[in-house]
Amino acid sequence: MGDPRRILHIDMDAFFASVEVMRNPSLRGKPVVVGGDPEGTRGVVSSASYEARHFGVRSAMPIVQARKLCPQAIFIRGSHGLYGEVSRHIHEILERVAPLVQMASIDEAYIDITGSLKLFGGDEAIARKIKNDIRTETGLPCTVAVAANKLVSKVAANEVKPDGLLIIPLGGEQAYLAPLPLGKLPGMGPKTCQTLEAMGILTAGQLVTASMALLEPVFGHRMATVLRHTAQGFGSDELTLDHTPKSISRETTFPRDLTDWNEIETIAGQLAEHCAHTLREESLETRRVTLKVRYGDFETRTFAHTLAEPTTIDAHIIAAVRELIPKAKERRTRVRLIGVNLSSLSWNQHQMSLFTREKDEKWERVMKQVDTMRGKHGFDALRLARGAKPDKNKRGSGK
Ligand SMILES: [Mg+2]
């Protein structure tokens, strides 16, 4: 452990919806929902204004459900190029304060402001400057919190959204978290919370004072320690600078060369699913799907497809792979290896959390939503991946 650090977390408030309001001020004060397809019936909510959240609309919720909860909302498909531009502008504003900026998603960042405290007059002055500069230069509201590490600054920002500012003084982390319900802590998914609640542990403070003899038999030593440390407000203060991978790929060499393209397509679908899973774990989305084929004579070819919209969804990726199959099988020879590669990666619009332990539960939640959507629209990715006959469903795959 080095010297204590000051980590600032910034989270734009209802980012995509706020950008839409900013460029069309007549939307101000109204429920605005960004996400979905051009017809506005499929897809999930990417962002909802606070007015829409008032009706229960949330990110990653199917658009159809959002329409039921808030039919009077203004539904906007979204303009992703613009959000990326605004995000880059925000990144620039942050870099003026300190060089160590970790963009955690398109609309969230951590900044190590330790080295800038003297120059700008302290953590609160920096927090105010950032909020001001962003408001002045982009017209957008944000929430900023400063603490000793990423974990506490993130929790604190969530607590004071929207348009909030909170400084947790050094050494005050544990006391700040103590009254918070467990669900507010990163990594505490619904199952973990239920288990702890059944043990009579409802808050971070109660988790800190719970005896290890109580926790260990249920969670094991390692997990019990992690839970305890989280509740105590221990967290990483190391920023990861630009760790966005360039591409995600999976490939497989067959034990014997294959000639049956139904079988090859099934395996390509499964590789695509693996890639899509990694994509979501990394909080990324893709616009370019490439199929790689090595034939029995060792000639290797790649076939690429650019999607009309970035996606994280298996079925879109599988549909793109499937479009490439006819080209791949024009060469009438045995196949030795196939691979799927996702590139043109960017931060995913559903803004999933960075916290590793939270990822799985969040991922399950998102996939549940996706499955509901698929169920409603006869859009069955598992069936696609297992290589059923092609149907007309080619969503997400532009020309
Ligand atoms: Mg946000």
Side-chain angles (χ1 to χ4, degrees), residues 39-274:
E39 295 86 47
T41 51
R42 290 173 170 178
V44 295
V45 174
S46 303
S47 176
S49 70
Y50 280 83
E51 290 81 0
R53 292 182 198 198
H54 181 75
F55 293 90
V57 178
R58 296 284 179 272
S59 286
M61 172 183 281
I63 288 283
V64 281
Q65 194 184 342
R67 280 190 186 278
K68 276 188 203 132
L69 289 170
C70 189
Q72 70 274 40
I74 293 130
F75 288 83
I76 299 172
R77 191 182 171 208
S79 24
H80 293 273
L82 177 64
Y83 308 147
E85 261 170 53
V86 178
S87 176
R88 280 189 289 279
H89 187 181
I90 291 163
H91 193 169
E92 277 169 35
I93 294 173
L94 300 176
E95 279 184 327
R96 283 183 225 152
V97 171
L100 292 171
V101 177
Q102 173 186 338
M103 292 304 287
S105 74
I106 193 167
D107 80 326
E108 271 180 55
Y110 295 96
I111 313 162
D112 185 336
I113 56 169
T114 316
S116 309
L117 292 169
K118 275 209 184 105
L119 182 63
F120 291 96
D123 47 17
E124 187 172 342
I126 291 176
R128 290 201 187 283
K129 176 182 166 51
I130 286 174
K131 274 177 71 78
N132 253 324
D133 289 358
I134 288 178
R135 175 77 79 168
T136 313
E137 294 181 35
T138 71
L140 297 172
C142 66
T143 295
V144 173
V146 183
N149 57 54
K150 294 197 275 191
L151 185 149
V152 179
S153 64
K154 164 106 179 168
V155 172
N158 281 341
E159 285 304 292
V160 294
K161 286 185 83 52
D163 201 19
L165 188 161
L166 184 61
I167 311 292
I168 308 297
L170 195 61
E173 299 81 20
Q174 188 174 318
Y176 170 71
L177 297 181
L180 297 182
L182 295 172
K184 304 274 190 177
L185 301 177
M188 305 277 178
K191 271 187 219 149
T192 308
C193 286
Q194 270 173 24
T195 310
L196 286 164
E197 280 161 17
M199 299 163 81
I201 301 168
L202 308 177
T203 65
Q206 287 168 342
L207 181 51
V208 171
T209 51
S211 89
M212 284 301 267
L214 185 67
L215 298 175
E216 276 193 11
V218 181
F219 295 101
H221 177 72
R222 199 176 147 270
M223 182 65 176
T225 309
V226 169
L227 291 173
R228 172 71 73 74
H229 281 173
T230 302
Q232 286 173 310
F234 294 157
S236 167
D237 57 10
E238 304 256 324
L239 302 197
T240 332
L241 305 177
D242 194 21
H243 62 290
T244 321
K246 293 268 181 294
S247 71
I248 291 169
S249 58
R250 282 280 183 122
E251 58 180 47
T252 188
T253 304
F254 305 126
R256 53 182 172 81
D257 293 354
L258 294 184
T259 48
D260 177 356
W261 275 94
N262 283 332
E263 196 177 343
I264 296 168
E265 187 172 323
T266 302
I267 295 163
Q270 287 160 356
L271 295 172
E273 281 184 327
H274 281 291

Side-chain angles (χ1 to χ4, degrees), residues 11-15 107-108 161 351:
D11 188 356
M12 302 304 295
D13 302 326
F15 182 49
D107 80 326
E108 271 180 55
K161 286 185 83 52
Q351 303 161 33

Side-chain angles (χ1 to χ4, degrees), residues 12-25:
M12 302 304 295
D13 302 326
F15 182 49
F16 299 167
S18 298
V19 172
E20 296 298 340
V21 171
M22 191 256 307
R23 69 172 181 168
N24 179 3

